[in-house]
Amino acid sequence: MSCFRLENVSYRYHKAPVLQGVDLRLEPGEILGLFGHNGAGKTTTIKLILGLMQPVGGFLSVLDGSAGDPQVTRHIGYLPENVMFYPQLTGREILAHFARLKGADLRQVPELLTQVGLDDAMDGRVKTYSKGMRQRLGLAQALLGKPKLLMLDEPTVGLDPVATADLYRLLRTLRDSGTGIVLCSHVLPGVEPYIDRAAILTDGALKASGNLEALRRQANMPVTLMLEPTGSLDSLENAIRQCNGVTRPVMKNINNRLQVDVRPADKMPLLTALMASGEVADVGIHQPTLEDIYVHFIGSGGLAHRGEVQ
Amino acid sequence: MNSVWTIARKELSDSLRNRWLLAIAIVFAVLAAGIAWFGAAASGQVGYASTPATIASLASLGIFLIPLIALLLAYDAIVGEDEGGTLLLLMTYPLSRGQLLFGKFLGHGLTLAFATILGFGVAGIAIAVLVEDVGITDLALAMLRFIGSTILLGWSFIALAYVVSVRASEKPVAAGLALAIWFFFVLVFDLLLLGSLVASEGKLNPELLPWLLMLNPTDIYRLLNILAFGEGRQLSGVLSLGSDLPIGQGGLWLALLLWCVLPLTAAWALFRNRRI
C-alpha cells in the first residue's frame, strides 16, 4: 500500500496551470521533504491529496483509495501553514471537538496534549496561546487517530529549538512505526538530516526528486575540498595542476588553506594523487547541502518567484 | 450523522457560553410580557387586553426582531470559519460540506428554538397565572402556534443567512448582505407589493395577488398568527389580501416550512462550489 501516488497529475485554476504532469509517491515509513518557492504548487499538491480539490488530469490515489473519501481522510493527519483555532475555546475542548469529528478515541486528547508539551496550558483559552503553543496544538490535532499519512506544512514555525528537536524526534518515531510523512519547510538545513527523500517543485512542475545522494548526482555540483599544505601553497597548487585526467579545478587561497571546487567524478582521483604527493597535511570535504541543491534546481531567479500569490 | 451532531453540539455550547441563548430568551420574555401588560395602553388602560390582540401585537413586533436575531446568529457560519482559518482544517476531516452546513443549521436552529420556547414559554405561563379569567386553552393553543411559527420563521432566516455566508468572501460583506435581506423582507417587500398593486390599476390578476404574499416568510408568519383567530378585521395593509388565500392553515405552515428547506438547499448547492 502506498501512502499516495500521483501520476502525471495536473491542476488548473482559472485556466492558468498550477500543476503540470507531477509524478510523486510516498511509501509507508518514509519522510518526504516537499520544497519549492512560494507559489510553486506545494499547497496545491497537498490539497489535491487531501481531496479538497480534484485534479484536472492524471491519476491520484491516496492510501489505496480515492482522495477525499471519508474512509481515507480518517487516516490522514494534516497541519496547515499558520494553523488557527477557535479563540474562545480551550486547547482541550478544541482537541476533543476534532477527535469526535475524526472518530478518534477521546482518551487520546490529554495524551497528545502532554506529548506536545501543552499539559499546563490545556485548560487555557486558545486566544491566550502564543504562536508556538498554537502550533503545538495544531500538531496534536494532526496526530489524532494515529494517522497513516501525516502532512505537515511548515511545522516548526514558532517553535523554539528544543521543541523543534522534539518534533523531529517524534516524526522519526512515527516513521519507524510505519507512518508516511510529508514535510514542507523553508528551513532546509533544519530538515535535511531527517528526510529520506526530497521533491523540489518549481512553477508547478517537479524539478527533481529522490534521496540526497541521487539529487547530488543529478545536480552534479562541485564538491569543495579544504586542503592544508604540508609545505607551501604554491607547491600544493602545482601538485593539483599536475594531476592527470582531472579537469582543472577552481582554486582559492583562504587563510593559507586551499579551497578547491572539484567535479564529483574527479574527487577520488584527485585525492588519491594528492595523498601520494605528500603535499597535504589535512583535508576537509564539503558535500553540497540540501540548500545548495535546492538553489541549483530552483535557479538563481529565486527572488523573482517570491512575490507570486498562491 | 455523528459528525453532524458534533458540529451542532459545538454551535449549541458556543451560544450557551457567549450567552446568546440566554440573551435572546430574555429579550423574548420581556417583549411578550410587556406587550401583554401594556398592549391595551393605546385604548387608555393598562392590563391584559385579549389573547388574539396580544398575539397579533407580538407577531407584528416579531417580524422585526426574529429575522434580525436569526441573521445575526448565522451570517458568519461559513465565512467566519473561513476567515478564522478553521474551514480548511474542517474540510480535511471526514466531514462533507453538507454535513458541516446541516450541523451548523441544527446547532443554530436549536439555539433559536430553545430561546424561543424559554422566552415566550415563560411569558405565556406568566400570563396564564397572573391574568384572571383568561381562556387557558385558547391561550395555550395560540402560544403554541406562535412559538412554533416563530421557530420556523427564525429557521428560514438562518437558512437565508447561510446562502449569504457560503457566498461571501469576507465577514463584513456577509453582514451587509444579511442586513440587506432583513431590509428587503421586513421593510421593502410590502411596500413594493402595495406600490405595484396601486400602479397596476387593477390590471393584475386578482387570483394571483394573494399568492405574492407567499414570497415573503414574514407575511406568512403574520397571516398564520392572525388568521387563526378567524378575524380578518385585524389584517391591515397588504395582509388583507391574505384572507382570500385558498390554502388555509396547513398550507401556510407548509409554505413557511418550504422557506426553511429551499434556502437551506440553495446554501448547500452554493457551498459545494465554494473554493477552499
Side-chain angles (χ1 to χ4, degrees):
Chain A
M1 182 198 70
S2 297
C3 285
F4 61 74
R5 253 168 50 217
L6 276 77
E7 282 164 22
N8 200 20
V9 164
S10 310
Y11 183 76
R12 278 194 294 275
Y13 181 55
H14 286 327
K15 290 185 181 160
V18 182
L19 281 184
Q20 319 171 38
V22 170
D23 289 300
L24 195 61
R25 58 191 295 168
L26 180 72
E27 300 301 325
E30 197 178 24
I31 300 183
L32 171 74
L34 189 56
F35 308 112
H37 54 83
N38 299 331
K42 291 174 307 220
T43 308
T44 305
T45 307
I46 287 181
K47 283 184 175 179
L48 287 174
I49 295 167
L50 286 166
L52 292 173
M53 313 183 299
Q54 305 302 319
V56 291
F59 169 81
L60 165 66
S61 87
V62 182
L63 296 168
D64 283 349
S66 58
D69 182 331
Q71 287 311 317
V72 169
T73 35
R74 202 175 293 284
H75 300 292
I76 301 181
Y78 171 53
L79 172 66
E81 194 179 357
N82 299 322
V83 66
M84 300 287 271
F85 293 106
Y86 308 107
Q88 76 281 15
L89 299 189
T90 68
R92 188 201 292 268
E93 286 168 334
I94 283 172
L95 206 57
H97 178 61
F98 282 107
R100 281 189 209 101
L101 281 177
K102 208 164 196 173
D105 193 341
L106 282 178
R107 276 172 301 185
Q108 257 197 317
V109 170
E111 277 170 27
L112 281 173
L113 286 169
T114 311
Q115 194 174 2
V116 298
L118 282 177
D119 31 358
D120 293 332
M122 62 171 89
D123 291 312
R125 292 190 182 200
V126 166
K127 67 175 168 198
T128 66
Y129 280 22
S130 67
K131 172 93 182 87
M133 287 160 82
R134 262 189 284 135
Q135 194 72 12
R136 287 156 191 253
L137 184 58
L139 202 63
Q141 166 276 134
L143 296 175
L144 280 169
K146 298 202 169 56
K148 293 177 183 164
L149 169 60
L150 190 58
M151 291 195 280
L152 309 174
D153 203 345
E154 294 290 349
T156 56
V157 170
L159 294 186
D160 58 64
V162 178
T164 305
D166 280 349
L167 168 67
Y168 285 133
R169 243 198 319 276
L170 175 66
L171 293 186
R172 272 214 171 135
T173 319
L174 288 171
R175 177 196 63 181
D176 294 341
S177 65
T179 312
I181 301 171
V182 178
L183 207 53
C184 286
S185 181
H186 287 130
V187 194
L188 300 179
V191 296
E192 183 171 350
Y194 300 99
I195 57 173
D196 298 311
R197 266 192 321 131
I200 298 173
L201 280 166
T202 51
D203 296 322
L206 195 61
K207 263 283 159 71
S209 95
N211 60 27
L212 277 181
E213 272 318 305
L215 288 180
R216 280 198 189 103
R217 268 200 303 279
Q218 197 181 335
N220 200 24
M221 293 170 75
V223 179
T224 304
L225 305 177
M226 289 300 286
L227 304 175
E228 197 179 319
T230 32
S232 71
L233 268 182
D234 290 338
S235 56
L236 177 59
E237 272 186 51
N238 275 331
I240 292 170
R241 289 210 186 87
Q242 280 156 17
C243 272
N244 284 328
V246 173
T247 323
R248 186 162 293 186
V250 185
M251 291 184 272
K252 218 192 292 177
N253 179 353
I254 297 173
N255 288 338
N256 270 329
R257 300 168 97 212
L258 200 59
Q259 179 186 316
V260 185
D261 291 339
V262 64
R263 292 193 310 143
D266 291 346
K267 181 181 73 182
M268 282 321 288
L270 179 65
L271 278 174
T272 326
L274 284 177
M275 292 301 136
S277 74
E279 293 285 351
V280 184
D282 196 11
V283 184
I285 303 177
H286 298 281
Q287 296 267 36
T289 62
L290 179 59
E291 199 156 5
D292 299 329
I293 296 170
Y294 175 80
V295 171
H296 172 87
F297 282 112
I298 295 283
S300 52
L303 260 186
H305 293 296
R306 298 282 149 82
E308 288 172 25
V309 266
Q310 297 207 5
Chain B
M1 195 58 216
N2 244 335
S3 31
V4 171
W5 178 240
T6 304
I7 298 290
R9 185 182 150 147
K10 181 186 167 288
E11 288 307 322
L12 205 55
S13 77
D14 278 357
S15 46
L16 283 174
R17 181 193 308 264
N18 58 26
R19 303 199 174 74
W20 257 90
L21 202 156
L22 193 68
I24 301 172
I26 289 174
V27 166
F28 285 169
V30 168
L31 185 75
I35 281 175
W37 260 259
F38 301 108
S43 55
Q45 62 187 60
V46 175
Y48 192 70
S50 71
T51 301
T54 304
I55 294 288
S57 308
L58 270 178
S60 307
L61 268 176
I63 61 152
F64 287 96
L65 203 57
I66 290 148
L68 198 60
I69 289 175
L71 290 166
L72 273 179
L73 193 66
Y75 82 91
D76 68 344
I78 299 301
V79 73
E81 295 268 2
D82 198 2
E83 272 195 3
T86 38
L87 185 61
L88 172 71
L89 196 57
L90 282 174
M91 291 293 91
T92 67
Y93 274 71
L95 175 76
S96 71
R97 298 187 184 202
Q99 285 173 318
L100 175 63
L101 196 69
F102 294 126
K104 288 261 177 192
F105 185 75
L106 195 62
H108 286 140
L110 284 178
T111 299
L112 198 77
F114 288 150
T116 309
I117 293 169
L118 196 67
F120 289 130
V122 164
I125 291 168
I127 293 171
V129 172
L130 298 175
V131 177
E132 288 166 26
D133 53 69
V134 65
I136 296 289
T137 336
D138 281 353
L139 178 70
L141 210 65
M143 267 329 244
L144 277 180
R145 190 187 311 114
F146 177 69
I147 289 174
S149 57
T150 299
I151 292 173
L152 278 183
L153 180 69
W155 286 356
S156 71
F157 275 88
I158 289 176
L160 284 168
Y162 287 170
V163 174
V164 165
S165 199
V166 297
R167 280 294 289 173
S169 54
E170 289 163 54
K171 250 162 84 163
V173 176
L177 288 173
L179 273 181
I181 287 181
W182 181 82
F183 204 72
F184 177 75
F185 282 117
V186 176
L187 300 177
V188 177
F189 184 89
D190 284 5
L191 280 178
L192 270 182
L193 198 55
L194 213 56
S196 47
L197 271 185
V198 174
S200 69
E201 293 169 336
K203 271 177 276 184
L204 277 173
N205 186 349
E207 303 256 305
L208 178 78
L209 284 175
W211 292 101
L212 292 178
L213 287 178
M214 296 297 107
L215 295 178
N216 185 346
T218 63
D219 282 340
I220 304 173
Y221 171 74
R222 275 196 291 177
L223 283 175
L224 248 178
N225 281 291
I226 295 172
L227 277 182
F229 296 104
E231 298 181 38
R233 64 183 167 80
Q234 296 246 15
L235 295 171
S236 56
V238 284
L239 277 196
S240 51
L241 288 169
S243 46
D244 301 334
L245 268 182
I247 55 173
Q249 283 273 313
L252 289 174
W253 282 107
L254 185 71
L256 204 49
L257 194 66
L258 275 178
W259 265 104
C260 302
V261 175
L262 293 179
L264 192 59
T265 315
W268 180 47
L270 289 172
F271 189 26
R272 285 161 62 103
N273 292 323
R274 187 185 177 105
R275 191 180 145 85
I276 294 177

